[in-house]
Amino acid sequence: MSYTAQPNQSEKNQANTWQNIQKQLLEIYGQDVYRSWIQNIIFLKTTFNTLVLSVKTRFIRDWIVAHYVDKILNLYKKFDIKISRIEFQISEKTEIKPIKNNIIDFDKKTYSLSGNYGLSKIDEKLNFDNFVVGKSNELAFTAAKKVIENLNKYNPLYIYGGVGLGKTHLLNAVGNKLLSTIDKVIYVSAERFMYQFVRSIKNNDVVKFKDIFRSAKVLLIDDIQFVSGKDVTQEEFFHTFNALIESNSQIILSSDRAPNDLDRIQDRIKSRLSGGLVVDIQSPDYEQRVQIIKQRCLKDLHSFDKNNFIEEEVIDFLAAESKLTVREMLGSFNRLVAHASINQKKITTIEARHVLKDYLNKIQTNLTIEDIQKTVVSYYDISMHDFMSSRRSRMVARPRQIAMYLSKKLTTKSLPEIGRKFSGRDHTTVIHAIKKIEELISKDKIFENEIRDLNSKLIYQNNNGVKV
Ligand code: ADP
Ligand code: MG
């Protein structure tokens, strides 16, 4: 056997692949998770079926294994099908890239309490002026306003809701408002809180860590679902929490789920979290989504750009793409504007679909044909057996066609693959089904609504299914 010492192309490719995956993880989990856990993972190599990564501490490894390793593996598999496991090496030497942290700069060893460290971390762009209020978030909005007017009225205020529905925005809006009158406002994500706490243990800085948080007059903690794991960190979180409530400091928390559904958090902490007021944010309806786009995006565009580049119908199209979260919807809009101005070309709905094609598909890849079949079967209240059979009566044939249509629309499977999943039907049957359904959608408003309804059901399930 001969070994070659030259770094080969595939090693370079692998490094690129890893960068690409890090980028995707950034998109999926956001800046904060990325900075705390993902950014400093070092790609070492792949050997046979194993992806070998390096991180700095056991704690970081355990955390990644508990929260992100499945996702990492799935993403990597898309590039290299052979990979079926991930191995972590612990290396103190792992170079830590400077973490540009606009929250609290813990990396500076000076935990100066005199500086207004609360100020820099709250995002000024997320305020009440550009927060669109509608049925979906009225309750949370009103509660937040009440808290501002009257600290301690609801303590803690616990706001929960799905991904991209404006929780971080609302927390920052509260922070911005209060900063004008109070200087000890701290905004921190639970991820950061945990990470910094563990770091402070390592650096023998726990006392300072506690001092900082316990000095807060208002503490805004984002994504509380991430508080979990080692008892000692939960313990510290709990003590900080109690200390603040006892000293009449206001706490506002956000989470992707209700207090009772926090699965890794101790019961007594849960009950403390629900001790004030708990409100939820729902998905905005179509009108509210249109308003959010107009409020968040159009304002920033020059009127020249507006008229020349984006057809009004494109806004409707994005708002109606209910599988896009608000965040994705806004991101898509910005993508379209960029595309239009680079190509100096007006964007119509057809163009928009085309430009966003990969993006729209990517979001849907977690949905399987089986998921779609199950949902359609239960929607039309027919039996799976009949559905899969060769019966041609309208009652089962139509739902079957709908499921085929949705499989094409919502998964990346090819026509033959779809056919196979429907008891080995031919791909021409699938094509026929898609045509038929498209025709019905264009002719029949009620039918169109039915399909849209199914579509959102599936996307909703899917989104919930992939939640961290
Ligand atoms: P979450 O923290 O709930 O996941 P974010 O607060 O980060 O969601 O919201 C995602 C994006 O959508 C942000 O750009 C935010 O400003 C925007 N957004 C969400 N809801 C609204 C709203 N009601 N009005 C204006 N912008 C919103
Ligand atoms: Mg958030």
Side-chain angles (χ1 to χ4, degrees):
M1 208 190 283
S2 72
Y3 292 93
T4 157
Q6 284 172 350
N8 53 30
Q9 181 59 34
S10 83
E11 266 172 40
K12 241 196 226 157
N13 279 347
Q14 286 172 346
N16 284 343
T17 299
W18 177 245
Q19 274 185 1
N20 191 317
I21 284 170
Q22 281 185 310
K23 238 194 250 154
Q24 292 188 44
L25 292 165
L26 170 65
E27 275 193 22
I28 296 168
Y29 293 115
Q31 283 281 349
D32 216 63
V33 171
Y34 179 79
R35 284 202 217 118
S36 303
W37 311 106
I38 314 283
Q39 176 172 268
N40 295 316
I41 304 176
I42 304 281
F43 169 85
L44 292 181
K45 60 183 176 195
T46 59
T47 52
F48 184 51
N49 67 344
T50 305
L51 166 64
V52 187
L53 302 170
S54 158
V55 293
K56 228 183 150 199
T57 66
R58 286 205 162 78
F59 176 79
I60 294 177
R61 177 199 59 196
D62 293 347
W63 188 276
I64 293 168
V65 168
H67 295 91
Y68 311 116
V69 83
D70 291 344
K71 195 84 199 170
I72 296 175
L73 190 60
N74 281 338
L75 290 174
Y76 207 93
K77 271 188 181 158
K78 294 206 177 114
F79 291 93
D80 186 347
I81 189 82
K82 289 195 306 298
I83 300 299
S84 59
R85 55 186 293 268
I86 297 183
E87 188 181 299
F88 282 96
Q89 293 185 2
I90 312 295
S91 165
E92 279 290 329
K93 287 198 290 290
T94 302
E95 165 210 2
I96 295 258
K97 294 174 204 152
I99 297 177
K100 205 173 138 271
N101 177 9
N102 63 356
I103 301 182
I104 295 177
D105 208 347
F106 283 96
D107 296 329
K108 282 189 200 137
K109 276 268 176 159
T110 49
Y111 294 99
S112 153
L113 281 176
S114 54
N116 200 354
Y117 50 86
L119 244 171
S120 61
K121 63 200 160 47
I122 291 167
D123 188 344
E124 281 170 28
K125 292 195 293 298
L126 303 175
N127 49 49
F128 280 114
D129 294 338
N130 60 14
F131 188 76
V132 176
V133 184
K135 269 204 300 288
S136 68
N137 56 12
E138 218 167 11
L139 213 58
F141 172 80
T142 313
K145 283 278 191 185
K146 287 243 167 76
V147 165
I148 292 171
E149 284 159 20
N150 195 349
L151 290 181
N152 278 312
K153 187 174 169 71
Y154 306 116
N155 204 7
L157 171 62
Y158 184 108
I159 301 169
Y160 73 95
V163 179
L165 295 183
K167 302 181 295 293
T168 297
H169 191 135
L170 199 51
L171 249 52
N172 277 275
V174 171
N176 276 312
K177 198 87 193 167
L178 288 176
L179 271 176
S180 54
T181 46
I182 299 168
D183 58 344
K184 296 273 168 56
V185 180
I186 295 185
Y187 166 88
V188 70
S189 80
E191 286 261 327
R192 272 269 126 188
F193 182 89
M194 307 283 285
Y195 179 76
Q196 296 299 354
F197 177 59
V198 173
R199 242 175 104 143
S200 72
I201 295 176
K202 252 191 95 194
N203 299 339
N204 275 326
D205 272 347
V206 180
V207 177
K208 282 178 191 159
F209 174 89
K210 290 182 178 176
D211 282 350
I212 287 183
F213 282 100
R214 293 186 184 184
S215 69
K217 277 277 148 285
V218 177
L219 180 59
L220 309 162
I221 309 181
D222 210 355
D223 290 321
I224 194 77
Q225 73 272 10
F226 286 116
V227 171
S228 65
K230 290 226 174 86
D231 277 353
V232 54
T233 26
Q234 286 209 30
E235 240 6 83
E236 177 49 31
F237 176 78
F238 188 57
H239 287 316
T240 305
F241 186 88
N242 281 337
L244 285 172
I245 298 262
E246 268 153 33
S247 64
N248 284 333
S249 297
Q250 175 71 45
I251 299 182
I252 306 183
L253 309 144
S254 89
S255 171
D256 69 349
R257 61 199 87 173
N260 260 334
D261 299 334
L262 293 164
D263 35 84
R264 294 181 294 243
I265 293 188
Q266 297 160 18
D267 283 347
R268 60 188 184 126
I269 300 186
K270 282 187 205 171
S271 79
R272 267 306 232 179
L273 294 177
S274 354
L277 178 67
V278 178
V279 289
D280 68 338
I281 301 187
Q282 305 277 334
S283 298
D285 59 14
Y286 172 76
E287 275 78 26
Q288 203 183 340
R289 285 166 67 95
V290 170
Q291 266 188 21
I292 291 175
I293 300 182
K294 291 191 168 164
Q295 164 68 24
R296 298 305 309 281
C297 302
L298 286 190
K299 236 179 33 188
D300 301 336
L301 285 179
H302 303 300
S303 59
F304 171 80
D305 293 343
K306 243 182 279 181
N307 299 333
N308 285 286
F309 289 145
I310 302 288
E311 291 276 9
E312 185 84 15
E313 62 173 27
V314 172
I315 295 174
D316 300 339
F317 157 69
L318 280 178
E321 282 290 318
S322 56
K323 63 181 159 294
L324 297 177
T325 65
V326 175
R327 181 184 295 127
E328 289 162 345
M329 179 179 81
L330 295 175
S332 300
F333 188 87
N334 290 332
R335 242 174 236 228
L336 293 177
V337 172
H339 187 89
S341 70
I342 289 167
N343 295 306
Q344 293 289 309
K345 194 170 158 196
K346 196 159 188 147
I347 296 261
T348 62
T349 305
I350 294 169
E351 275 277 320
R353 260 184 224 284
H354 182 70
V355 174
L356 299 173
K357 193 164 148 264
D358 289 341
Y359 185 64
L360 295 175
N361 280 338
K362 201 179 80 192
I363 296 164
Q364 296 152 358
T365 48
N366 289 303
L367 207 57
T368 66
I369 295 179
E370 284 81 3
D371 295 333
I372 295 172
Q373 291 171 332
K374 272 191 217 140
T375 304
V376 171
V377 161
S378 91
Y379 188 86
Y380 290 104
D381 201 15
I382 51 181
S383 82
M384 186 56 95
H385 181 264
D386 289 348
F387 179 81
M388 284 298 190
S389 74
S390 53
R391 285 186 51 200
R392 282 155 180 262
S393 81
R394 167 82 57 89
M395 235 184 64
V396 292
R398 188 72 81 227
R400 204 183 284 137
Q401 288 175 326
I402 291 172
M404 288 181 190
Y405 165 84
L406 289 170
S407 297
K408 183 65 204 153
K409 203 170 153 234
L410 300 177
T411 75
T412 49
K413 297 282 181 271
S414 67
L415 297 170
E417 278 172 306
I418 295 173
R420 245 173 273 138
K421 294 275 186 183
F422 286 79
S423 313
R425 284 175 166 80
D426 194 72
H427 76 276
T428 52
T429 311
V430 182
I431 295 177
H432 175 73
I434 295 170
K435 284 205 179 127
K436 183 78 208 166
I437 299 305
E438 279 174 349
E439 184 196 320
L440 288 172
I441 289 175
S442 68
K443 279 203 283 209
D444 182 346
K445 208 69 212 147
I446 295 172
F447 185 77
E448 186 193 344
N449 282 339
E450 234 169 81
I451 301 295
R452 182 175 290 186
D453 198 23
L454 268 166
N455 198 64
S456 4
K457 268 194 174 38
L458 283 161
I459 299 305
Y460 181 73
Q461 282 170 6
N462 187 36
N463 279 341
N464 281 351
V466 296
K467 235 183 232 166
V468 214

